[in-house]
Amino acid sequence: EKAGHRHFMMKEIAEQPTVIGNVIEAHVAPDHARVDMGLPGVDFAQVNRVSIVACGTAYYAALVAKYWFERIAGLPAEVDIASEFRYRDPILPPGTLAIFVSQSGETADTLAALRYAKGKAAKVVSLVNSPESSIARESDIAVPIHAGVEVSVASTKAFTCMLTTFLTMTLRAAEDRGTMSGEEIAATIADLRSLPGLVSHALSADAAIHAVAAQLAKARDVLFLGRGQMFPLALEGALKLKEISYIHAEGYPSGELKHGPIALVDRDTPVVVLAPHDRLFDKTVSNMQEVMARGGKVLLIADNRAIAEVGNDVWTSIAMPDAPEILQPILYAVPAQLLAYHTAIAKGTDVDQPRNLAKSVTVE
Ligand code: M6R
């Protein structure tokens, strides 16, 4: 049942090239020129704002989607944690498309938030892994994320399938709103179709990550830093690590470092920096230097160009394949997952069933 793997978590990490490929196949037209994902009655040109609500890892997927909706489709996007949204009388102005994201489709707070939005939002859409779930049934449109059954409490493939689904949805929004030309959309779909191969390539960092995990397992605290669309990946990396290895970890936007968390940095605090050579790379490098100047140990996860520039200065680096910028949040989920996985093994924790946690949180 674990397909030769020791844990469901590793099986599910390894399945990502396949399931991401399934998402792309399901949501892209056969001619690969357009998105065709079944959003009946949704015209993003008529939408003024998307409001996305979720918990945990699904919330972090939504945070990445915010960057994409705004940058690619010029569409204002708001993201809320479900347990906050449902109790704060949120305002859903006319033309709001409300989106609820959930692997299980049964998360109590997300379901309650959905019920609040019904009748107030123009449309209620969900991104779910279980088409039979309460959240799927109660939404106007349920978009399947095609991850297949996820057993491990730590969510992995559901996260990358949520992201891939959000990316196709954003392209559909860009098409409706005319913020991308047909050629640009086709070119981005071509990039997207290279994603399963890139994710396979990222999986080959497994041995390098395994090698560094014994060191990480000794840490009491770990910081994760990222900027822009990589910031939510820092949050996700920290959640994954704390969830299964019980090491205290925090994710921060790199630029926030000097507003507080840098006080934590010392020789014993590894700082994981997720920094592909993107438009914000130079800014992130200067944050990294601030960490190193205080004796912090930087574990850099980056592409070849970034590692060529700064790899010699850091404690250790993990190489990711070069990839189109838009795909990087999906790709960099893989090393974040592997880091948590191997650190948990080094600590001897119960990877698939971490203490105090349930796979599906059906009580608030
Ligand atoms: O089933 P859902 O996607 O609604 O679950 C939301 C969170 O409970 C879930 O993502 C949780 O944070 C995971 N254990 C993270 O690995």
Side-chain angles (χ1 to χ4, degrees):
E1 47 171 6
K2 294 177 192 151
H5 294 284
R6 227 170 115 190
H7 299 95
F8 281 107
M9 184 179 178
M10 192 61 216
K11 168 182 176 268
E12 290 160 5
I13 290 172
E15 278 171 353
Q16 289 176 112
T18 306
V19 291
I20 289 171
N22 293 344
V23 177
I24 298 167
E25 189 157 328
H27 295 165
V28 167
D31 65 359
H32 302 150
R34 302 177 36 249
V35 166
D36 179 12
M37 62 187 300
L39 287 168
V42 175
D43 176 0
F44 281 99
Q46 307 299 320
V47 171
N48 298 325
R49 197 178 73 146
V50 292
S51 182
I52 318 175
V53 182
C55 300
T57 283
Y59 169 72
Y60 298 146
L63 284 182
V64 176
K66 175 184 169 77
Y67 287 83
W68 291 340
F69 274 117
E70 293 183 349
R71 174 166 298 156
I72 302 172
L75 190 54
E78 220 186 319
V79 182
D80 273 281
I81 288 178
S83 56
E84 288 297 312
F85 180 90
R86 64 180 290 199
Y87 292 119
R88 77 169 162 79
D89 306 316
I91 293 157
L92 299 168
T96 299
L97 182 80
I99 306 178
F100 298 84
V101 194
S102 176
Q103 188 287 126
S104 63
E106 300 295 347
T107 299
D109 283 320
T110 309
L111 181 59
L114 182 153
R115 288 177 177 154
Y116 173 90
K118 279 205 98 169
K120 296 191 182 70
K123 266 235 164 30
V124 170
V125 175
S126 60
L127 264 61
V128 281
N129 200 28
S130 320
E132 310 299 322
S133 61
S134 308
I135 289 175
R137 270 187 278 112
E138 294 194 28
S139 36
D140 296 324
I141 303 171
V143 179
I145 62 163
H146 298 287
V149 176
E150 191 182 66
V151 175
S152 170
V153 165
S155 185
T156 54
K157 61 177 181 167
F159 179 66
T160 48
C161 286
M162 285 166 185
L163 287 176
T164 310
T165 305
F166 265 130
L167 190 49
T168 56
M169 192 186 272
T170 315
L171 291 177
R172 162 68 194 280
E175 185 182 336
D176 287 357
R177 297 168 67 80
T179 54
M180 275 173 105
S181 67
E183 293 82 71
E184 285 171 320
I185 289 178
T188 309
I189 289 175
D191 284 346
L192 190 57
R193 295 182 67 241
S194 72
L195 183 58
L198 289 165
V199 170
S200 296
H201 191 154
L203 285 167
S204 64
D206 188 61
I209 293 173
H210 185 188
V212 82
Q215 291 296 314
L216 222 57
K218 291 184 201 147
R220 200 188 56 178
D221 313 284
V222 178
L223 282 176
F224 284 75
L225 301 180
R227 252 183 204 271
Q229 59 170 5
M230 300 307 288
F231 160 52
L233 269 292
L235 296 173
E236 170 64 2
L239 176 63
K240 226 72 318 165
L241 186 68
K242 77 182 83 161
E243 209 174 11
I244 60 169
S245 77
Y246 316 147
I247 294 172
H248 169 235
E250 288 191 60
Y252 267 97
S254 310
E256 270 292 292
L257 191 65
K258 54 168 79 68
H259 299 283
I262 198 159
L264 294 174
V265 172
D266 61 19
R267 275 167 215 297
D268 303 319
T269 313
V271 181
V272 179
V273 182
L274 298 151
H277 206 294
D278 59 13
R279 65 187 85 192
L280 299 170
F281 180 67
D282 293 344
K283 304 265 174 213
T284 303
V285 168
S286 71
N287 300 133
M288 237 166 58
Q289 281 158 348
E290 288 158 3
V291 168
M292 293 186 294
R294 282 150 189 93
K297 298 198 299 197
V298 170
L299 193 170
L300 175 66
I301 303 181
D303 49 26
N304 295 316
R305 188 166 159 212
I307 291 176
E309 277 181 34
V310 298
N312 285 336
D313 306 334
V314 300
W315 169 50
T316 186
S317 53
I318 304 288
M320 288 291 106
D322 294 322
E325 189 168 323
I326 195 78
L327 304 181
Q328 284 163 353
I330 309 176
L331 194 60
Y332 282 64
V334 174
Q337 296 161 352
L338 291 172
L339 209 58
Y341 178 75
H342 287 296
T343 306
I345 304 252
K347 293 211 70 169
T349 52
D350 186 343
V351 171
D352 283 333
Q353 280 297 332
R355 69 186 181 199
N356 309 340
L357 287 167
K359 180 63 183 162
S360 177
V361 185
T362 53
V363 291
E364 68 167 297

